[in-house]
Amino acid sequence: MSVLAARHVSKSYPGVRALADVSMELRENEILGLIGQNGSGKSTLLKIFTGVEQPTEGSLLLRGQQTIIRSPLAAAALGIGMVHQEQSLITNLTVAENIFFDKHALGKRYGFYNWRSLNKAAERQLAKLECEIPPDLKVEKLSFPERQLVEFAKVLAVEELIDDQLVILFDEPTSLLSPSEIEGLFRQIRRLKERASIVFVSHRMDEVLEISDRVHVMSNGENVAERTPSETDHKELYHLMVGSRRSEDYFLEERRRPTSAAPPRLETHRLSAPGAFKDVSFAIRQGEILALTGVAGSGAEEFCRALFGLEEGVTGKIIFNGKEHPVDARPSDLIAEGIGYVAAERKLEGVVTGRTIVDNIVLSFGSKLGKGLFIDRDREISSALHWIARLKVKTPNAAEYVERLSGGNQQKVSLAKWLLSENLQLLILDHPTRGLDPGAKADLFEAIRDLSDQGISILFVSETLEETLGMADTIVVMRDGQVSATFSDLFHAKPAPEAIVEAMV
């Protein structure tokens, strides 16, 4: 029996058709895997299911009845909940307030919050995730993985609203979670399946094949195929998504070179930041790709931010091209020296919403394209178009607002703005493949190899162990804010994955 269905749904925005005649059904007590490249229409379809967007054409059926879902509040009342790819929490509210702010019937009496009952109800939802986050804590005090768990609890609270079959939509829910947290999430999803139907979106094929009963494939806003996990594998799903077979050398490892004997491009000596990392020392050379890896809370992300002048209280020594840099240097000074940084939180720090793709790409170095004090808009557009084509950003035109792009394409725009620099020498990439589909990842890996060939040093925080081993010349493992292991010269010998995991945990 169909619980939620799309019938010939299309969605158009100015200049782009996001969905074209899409039909899909979610059956009772099943987990439906939904996959596709960035910009394939997955997130748009989920937004329609939750009332964030309305279809241009077509209809929705909920429990067999044609339905118009006018808002996320209406969706929640109908028993539809969603964990978003980009977190939707309000950071200056408490955990309990975030869990229940869109469920007005719960935790209120005569129009006022009953804080005791609200916090108790929040504790019940968090307990389902085996999570001990205090419900009265402000969300701004939580780590990114902890916020993701609050997102899950927020969706689980839909169980309190209705007795009918629930619909739970997960849009890239595992992108910020550790392996143990992913196992916990999968336990909850399987538990929910007893009284819910679930759509699970992920670019990680192993996760989709493990958790799904069926897999629905989309490409360019259209239906492509439907498979059951027992009848397919990673390679076929990749082919259905991108229209080509995945190369055996996905990471272009034939282009890996021995570590350069040149002097270090960047050195750190006993670099520390209170509560984040301590005594981190390493060196990266010209053209070297260095992967910084560790579990959530290892300090790797904060270390990258410190190198770009975004952390406070940093002590130690930073040497760049043989010259000592002040550890409290401003990002603008570091940019002038040839250092770039692609942030993990692309919507907060990577792109400027309300501005076009061209505006975002030329944001840091557009003045170099001008004539004297005047902007040369033609050169800006020409340069932006070059990188849009080179990185395969999916957009109807360069004048599109950046927030209308899929998350993966926004990430490509965030990267492109640094590639305009004529002086780029070190590029710091914090989880650059987070939220990217396999085809987009392959494009990014090729771009990283190209930059390395040009002598640009790459420091990246990797998303998976496979990426770490596939891309890095050197691996630095962090645990509890300190370097726990270093594996050098992967050109000649790779470490065993077990050795890296042991250093991580």
Side-chain angles (χ1 to χ4, degrees):
M1 175 182 171
S2 173
V3 176
L4 178 64
R7 294 284 183 260
H8 306 290
V9 166
S10 298
K11 177 64 180 179
S12 297
Y13 300 99
V16 62
R17 191 170 175 86
L19 295 174
D21 195 31
V22 170
S23 294
M24 186 187 82
E25 72 170 5
L26 176 64
R27 298 167 188 165
E28 187 172 353
N29 300 109
E30 83 160 345
I31 301 171
L32 176 66
L34 180 60
I35 65 172
Q37 294 190 76
N38 297 119
S40 64
K42 308 183 303 297
S43 292
T44 301
L45 184 59
L46 296 191
K47 288 176 181 177
I48 288 174
F49 284 153
T50 53
V52 176
E53 301 281 0
Q54 298 299 313
T56 307
E57 301 172 16
S59 60
L60 302 180
L61 276 70
L62 181 64
R63 305 180 188 98
Q65 301 295 316
Q66 187 164 324
T67 305
I68 298 175
I69 304 174
R70 301 190 183 277
S71 68
L73 190 62
L78 292 168
I80 302 173
M82 179 171 172
V83 175
H84 295 269
Q85 178 181 1
E86 306 289 346
Q87 293 184 358
S88 62
L89 303 179
I90 301 172
T91 57
N92 63 342
L93 296 183
T94 67
V95 169
E97 287 175 295
N98 271 278
I99 291 173
F100 291 109
F101 84 91
D102 60 347
K103 304 168 186 70
H104 292 175
L106 300 172
K108 280 188 177 181
R109 187 175 184 184
Y110 305 122
F112 294 94
Y113 278 126
N114 182 325
W115 293 106
R116 179 175 294 179
S117 63
L118 186 75
N119 288 333
K120 286 289 185 184
E123 284 179 351
R124 288 197 301 273
Q125 308 313 316
L126 294 164
K128 295 175 184 177
L129 296 165
E130 301 171 0
C131 172
E132 297 181 356
I133 298 172
D136 58 350
L137 191 65
K138 292 282 184 71
V139 165
E140 62 192 6
K141 301 293 186 181
L142 302 180
S143 67
F144 226 67
E146 286 174 329
R147 294 184 191 188
Q148 190 78 313
L149 292 173
V150 175
E151 289 272 14
F152 300 156
K154 180 178 170 182
V155 170
L156 295 180
V158 173
E159 288 187 293
E160 309 284 339
L161 293 177
I162 67 167
D163 295 323
D164 286 322
Q165 182 85 20
L166 298 178
V167 174
I168 308 293
L169 313 175
F170 288 94
D171 189 6
E172 296 283 349
T174 62
S175 60
L176 297 170
L177 301 183
S178 67
S180 62
E181 289 168 335
I182 291 172
E183 289 178 11
L185 170 65
F186 280 9
R187 285 198 301 271
Q188 295 306 322
I189 289 177
R190 293 185 178 105
R191 185 191 67 80
L192 276 174
K193 184 182 172 184
E194 297 174 3
R195 69 174 302 243
S197 299
I198 295 162
V199 176
F200 182 85
V201 178
S202 177
H203 289 132
R204 297 174 179 174
M205 299 297 178
D206 55 339
E207 293 178 357
V208 172
L209 291 172
E210 176 185 347
I211 198 69
S212 303
D213 299 308
R214 286 187 301 132
V215 181
H216 189 93
V217 186
M218 295 181 66
S219 180
N220 296 316
E222 299 179 348
N223 297 320
V224 173
E226 187 175 289
R227 296 287 188 272
T228 59
S230 61
E231 298 173 342
T232 190
D233 57 20
H234 296 67
K235 289 185 178 180
E236 185 191 23
L237 292 179
Y238 180 92
H239 174 63
L240 291 169
M241 285 172 57
V242 306
S244 62
R245 293 289 178 187
R246 169 172 162 169
S247 168
E248 291 300 319
D249 190 9
Y250 187 50
F251 301 105
L252 304 174
E253 292 190 70
E254 81 281 358
R255 294 173 60 180
R256 178 183 272 144
R257 302 186 306 272
T259 303
S260 169
R265 171 68 50 77
L266 172 77
E267 298 174 84
T268 68
H269 297 278
R270 299 181 67 86
L271 207 66
S272 302
F277 56 87
K278 181 181 180 182
D279 294 337
V280 177
S281 300
F282 75 88
I284 181 171
R285 301 178 186 276
Q286 177 179 322
E288 184 177 6
I289 302 174
L290 188 148
L292 196 60
T293 189
V295 300
S298 67
E301 293 87 349
E302 292 85 353
F303 179 76
C304 288
R305 292 176 60 82
L307 290 179
F308 198 64
L310 298 174
E311 288 286 316
E312 297 181 352
V314 178
T315 59
K317 186 183 293 186
I318 299 175
I319 299 174
F320 187 66
N321 285 330
K323 184 177 73 172
E324 185 171 347
H325 268 226
V327 293
D328 58 352
R330 296 175 302 176
S332 58
D333 297 329
L334 300 173
I335 291 170
E337 291 291 334
I339 299 176
Y341 170 70
V342 176
E345 297 185 52
R346 55 178 170 254
K347 284 202 170 181
L348 294 177
E349 300 176 324
V351 297
V352 180
T353 57
R355 304 299 295 269
T356 68
I357 297 170
V358 172
D359 292 339
N360 271 272
I361 290 177
V362 303
L363 185 64
S364 297
F365 302 102
S367 60
K368 306 293 185 183
L369 302 174
K371 298 175 180 177
L373 299 176
F374 297 96
I375 293 172
D376 188 333
R377 193 59 174 171
D378 289 339
R379 286 189 68 193
E380 288 186 346
I381 293 172
S382 176
S383 297
L385 287 172
H386 167 77
W387 287 110
I388 287 170
R390 174 65 186 81
L391 297 176
K392 301 177 184 175
V393 179
K394 186 177 179 182
T395 177
N397 58 70
E400 184 67 88
Y401 285 106
V402 73
E403 62 265 29
R404 291 179 178 168
L405 300 181
S406 68
N409 284 299
Q410 288 180 26
Q411 185 78 323
K412 292 180 180 180
V413 170
S414 181
L415 173 62
K417 71 181 177 186
W418 296 110
L419 303 184
L420 278 185
S421 171
E422 297 177 353
N423 185 41
L424 185 63
Q425 299 179 61
L426 170 66
L427 184 59
I428 303 167
L429 304 170
D430 188 355
H431 291 92
T433 62
R434 181 174 288 164
L436 297 190
D437 65 69
K441 287 181 182 180
D443 296 338
L444 177 64
F445 295 148
E446 183 178 3
I448 290 174
R449 292 289 184 198
D450 289 346
L451 294 171
S452 173
D453 289 346
Q454 296 166 27
I456 296 170
S457 304
I458 306 292
L459 171 63
F460 79 103
V461 180
S462 55
E463 186 74 0
T464 66
L465 193 57
E466 182 187 23
E467 289 177 10
T468 300
L469 289 166
M471 290 299 298
D473 301 314
T474 299
I475 299 171
V476 174
V477 184
M478 292 186 66
R479 180 177 62 207
D480 298 330
Q482 295 183 293
V483 173
S484 58
T486 299
F487 303 93
S488 302
D489 199 7
L490 270 68
F491 176 82
H492 289 108
K494 287 185 179 181
E498 295 81 5
I500 299 175
V501 172
E502 183 179 356
M504 291 168 64
V505 299

